[in-house]
Amino acid sequence: LFLFWTITYLAKKFVKEEEMTTGSMIAILGSSLLGSLTFTFSDTFWFSAVEGEVYGMSSFMTALVFWAILKWESIADEPHSNRWIIFIWFIVGISIGVHLLNLLAIPAIIFVYYFKKYKPTGKGMAIALITSIGILGFVQMVLIPQIINIAAKFELLFTNGLGMPFNTGATVLGLVILGGVSYALYYTQKNNKVLANTLTLSFTVLLIGYMTFGVIIIRSNANPPIDENNPENMVNLLSYLNRDQYGSSPLAYGYFFDSPLNSKNGSAGMYKDGSPVYYPSVKTGKYEVADERKNSLPNYASEFNTIFPRMWSSKANHKSAYKTWSGFKGKPIKYNNLQTGKSEIIKKPTFGENITYFVNYQLWWMWGRYFAWNFIGRQNDVQGHHIDAGGLTNGNVMSGITPIDEMFLGNLDNYPEDLSKNKAMNFYYFLPFIIGLIGLFFQSKFDQNNALVIFLLFLFTGIAIAVFLNMYPYQPRERDYAFVGSFYAFAIWIGLAVIGIYRALRDKVSGPMLAGGITVITILAAPVLMATQNWDDHDRSDRYTAREIARNYLESCDQNAILFTNGDNDTFPLWYLQEVEGVRTDVRVVNLMLLNTDWYIDQMARKAYDGEAIPISMTKDMYRQGTRDFMHVYPDKRLDQDAYYNVRDIVNYITDDSKKVSINQGTNVNVIPVRKFKIKVDKQKLIDNGTVSAADADKIVSEIKWDIKGNYVMKNHLVVLDMLAHFNWDRPIYFSITMGKDSFYGLSDYFQQEGFAYRLVPIKTPTAGYRDFGTVNTDKMYERLMNQFNWGGYENPELWMDENNQRFITNIRFTFVRLAEALIKEGKNEKAKEVLDRVVEVAVHKNFSYNGSIMPIAESYLRVGATEEGLNVLRLMVENERQYLDYYADQSREDLKGFGQKVRQSLGLIGQTTMMVSQNFPQSQEVQDEFNAIYQEYAELFQGLI
């Protein structure tokens, strides 16, 4: 609605008041309808609008403030019009608590004010631009962080320096600010200083809006079960607002990915001190230093720094991608590296390579591609990284005009059904893009001032964000939602095309007929086309996969369990179910990533709803930030390193400060003295409490033994060790199946799968293969997978599953197959076939790829004698791989090089089918020959090409 009004207002600028006819009014309303509907059905905004995230509300506030400044412009000469300016700054203040995207509308707002109040000149516009950027910088870089920073410093001064109670400093600062703005408002009002009064009011309401952040402190002091970062005071809130947990990247000046540490002044110059971390100590009544952060920040050699650094991340896969995107050759520089003790040649990226990466990746791939998704067309919703020709199948722009698409995506004659059935393949044939260019052209011709305003909105919410975010390759998800403001601006130009075309042709065709015709044609060419293309992949009706899979995780656990998860996607849906729907609140969900922080350990160490606290012995002082953040594995020579030690004794050793040792002549630190741990097992207790069934009593080991790898242990590992030392088998401990093996801490041989979680049990079953950790409780798994679990729509082939949902389908397939295989080993072939039939119903249909992950399903079918079902699944997979191979064969030799690994993978899968059939269905030579013939056909086709 705000966009509709905005375009209506801007469209009126195209027509003089005396020229306002019926045709003009139809064209103006047509413009508004076209632009607003186009944005409504645009890919990114539609996605954000139905996400449980901040971006829909952020778009609303951006539209609101831009509408408000145009509302002000329309009545700027009337009394009290400045109330709209004040309203804008209030909304800007509130929006800070939603998302900072709204701030990027400030330059456009300033220019609307400038064009209304001043006669435009080159010098004046330059001053307006500098002013707008200055205001934007002040709000984002000064006001937002520095008010809290100053409040934190007041806290330290009044509490630590003057001996006052906690929160005194923040209260005093609040009173000072309140007194200051009150006096300024009184003085400017009394002396009729209108501009100064408006500025003061604007600053005041901006602060009032910004103070909605106070809700965070109020909530945190209530100690809810989920309280990330625990921002209970101004000192902690500063870290929260600065997003310290996410780290930072250089922006205007800084280092490259291979920049060595500065060794000119020896080891002392290689690191810099960070800002100390404080905590309020009830014992001393002061803010005490938890972590001095001495030598915590790397100090890179200056000769390897550059202005506008774009390639900065030192992760191995990021470095490789940087080189591919930039065409890296580098400039060799000789450097004496103190870390290695050698003089070495380091290749520093040239500034040209730096800019090449910026243009190719950050500008095009991480903004321009998203822009094209919204107004040209989209290949699919599979995240694309596109660092080689193999990326031609994922996340590209695809218009639907085959000759143009083939220029960038290769030959599409044999495009695989696996790719073409993706409902996020949306073709707009360049039509919305062309209409937008027409609108831009006419606005630049008939309303230059507002064309510049919209361009600034487009620039700052698009390209400027790409510059500011300074994104590295292999982002964990597509980031198009960050640029929705620029798509909003382009939708304005799309809308203005109607009035622009109307004005250009109104002298040649009847006004109402012309306006109506243009409106109908452009609405069909843009929003109607976009809605029909986007509807099937943006419609989430009846899809409850996140909720139901989360429920399945929780229902995989017995009563009063501890469930370890790892990462946001594993954890947030479980939190939702417990917090909002009250599902299985007896289970304590423990996120291992967050377990590296003291505030999260605090929360886990207290009861939440029906879930008991995790059993740890450490006190807060033992795990506070800066204490035992990581510990070296430093074998104690007085201990037998071949023996296994009770984990409780080792935890006591680690938490005993008298056991600190000096490493490499450094300060004394706590260390892990051994690599081998054990837990004593009370056999009868485990049978009595149901951890192990009486039938498996003879399998129970007297001790669980495991080793740790690596040279150090993080704090989360220490907390897990403490839990293992003190849980006494009174509560079940589970690990999510989606966690990597490194998160199992060497315990995977003692796992028992009971659904979507592995339970720690005192039965040793060495890992048999990929994902086959420990053993399987077939009774529990059968009951849960077949009767208890819900699938949230996975089983419905008519519901579209986007990439995020499709990622989990492999876990579902492997979980069912593991149960089926365990049942086969128990001689329960009939039940195993029921399990296989169910997984085919849930996870093997047209919604999902018939890739190699269905091969184990076919093999299990063959093993239980369900030959027809097994061969049907195999043929689905083989046909899928054949289509891909036909597609690869159509590509040029250059593009085919990028597909080499995928060709080998497809050939390997087809080749395995012959072996599988011969082992499990040896009497069918005809079927073996069928699959072998297919393999030989493609092996010969690609011989020498890959």
Side-chain angles (χ1 to χ4, degrees), residues 144-205:
I144 294 175
Q146 291 309 317
I147 283 183
I148 306 301
N149 186 29
I150 294 170
K153 286 181 166 51
F154 264 60
E155 275 291 284
L156 293 174
L157 171 64
F158 278 80
T159 301
N160 289 12
L162 302 179
M164 305 293 283
F166 295 125
N167 300 319
T168 302
T171 303
V172 169
L173 178 62
L175 292 174
V176 169
I177 293 174
L178 179 61
V181 296
S182 297
Y183 177 76
L185 289 171
Y186 167 76
Y187 177 82
T188 55
Q189 179 74 21
K190 182 179 179 181
N191 293 279
N192 199 32
K193 297 182 179 295
V194 178
L195 179 60
N197 183 261
T198 301
L199 290 173
T200 305
L201 270 173
S202 298
F203 178 75
T204 302
V205 297

Side-chain angles (χ1 to χ4, degrees), residues 213-244:
F213 262 115
V215 173
I216 294 172
I217 297 179
I218 295 169
R219 179 183 182 278
S220 184
N221 276 279
N223 289 322
I226 299 173
D227 183 20
E228 293 206 45
N229 289 91
N230 196 35
E232 292 188 350
N233 52 63
M234 289 298 179
V235 177
N236 290 358
L237 181 62
L238 180 63
S239 174
Y240 174 90
L241 293 180
N242 286 338
R243 297 162 58 88
D244 288 344

Side-chain angles (χ1 to χ4, degrees), residues 104-121:
L104 297 173
I106 289 176
I109 291 171
I110 298 301
F111 265 83
V112 172
Y113 185 90
Y114 168 76
F115 287 135
K116 186 66 177 180
K117 291 294 186 179
Y118 301 94
K119 183 178 180 180
T121 64

Side-chain angles (χ1 to χ4, degrees), residues 345-409:
I345 301 296
I346 299 176
K347 286 188 175 182
K348 173 185 176 180
T350 66
F351 189 70
E353 291 167 344
N354 182 59
I355 295 300
T356 298
Y357 168 76
F358 168 65
V359 172
N360 288 345
Y361 184 77
Q362 294 183 339
L363 273 191
W364 162 246
W365 193 250
M366 298 307 291
W367 173 73
R369 177 173 61 110
Y370 299 146
F371 174 83
W373 279 3
N374 283 272
F375 304 111
I376 295 175
R378 183 174 182 176
Q379 182 183 38
N380 51 45
D381 63 358
V382 181
Q383 185 174 1
H385 301 294
H386 205 286
I387 61 169
D388 55 26
L392 294 177
T393 59
N394 298 334
N396 293 283
V397 178
M398 204 169 184
S399 68
I401 303 175
T402 302
I404 295 177
D405 293 337
E406 288 188 334
M407 291 171 60
F408 303 97
L409 300 177

Side-chain angles (χ1 to χ4, degrees), residues 634-682:
Y634 193 75
D636 188 333
K637 296 180 180 178
R638 296 169 297 178
L639 300 176
D640 182 1
Q641 295 299 314
D642 293 325
Y644 285 87
Y645 290 84
N646 191 303
V647 68
R648 181 173 297 193
D649 295 334
I650 301 304
V651 169
N652 291 337
Y653 183 105
I654 297 169
T655 55
D656 185 350
D657 286 341
S658 69
K659 297 290 198 300
K660 287 184 176 181
V661 300
S662 176
I663 298 177
N664 297 328
Q665 299 181 342
T667 57
N668 289 343
V669 294
N670 298 99
V671 298
I672 309 289
V674 296
R675 292 185 179 277
K676 298 178 180 293
F677 304 138
K678 66 180 180 181
I679 303 173
K680 291 286 186 180
V681 175
D682 184 339

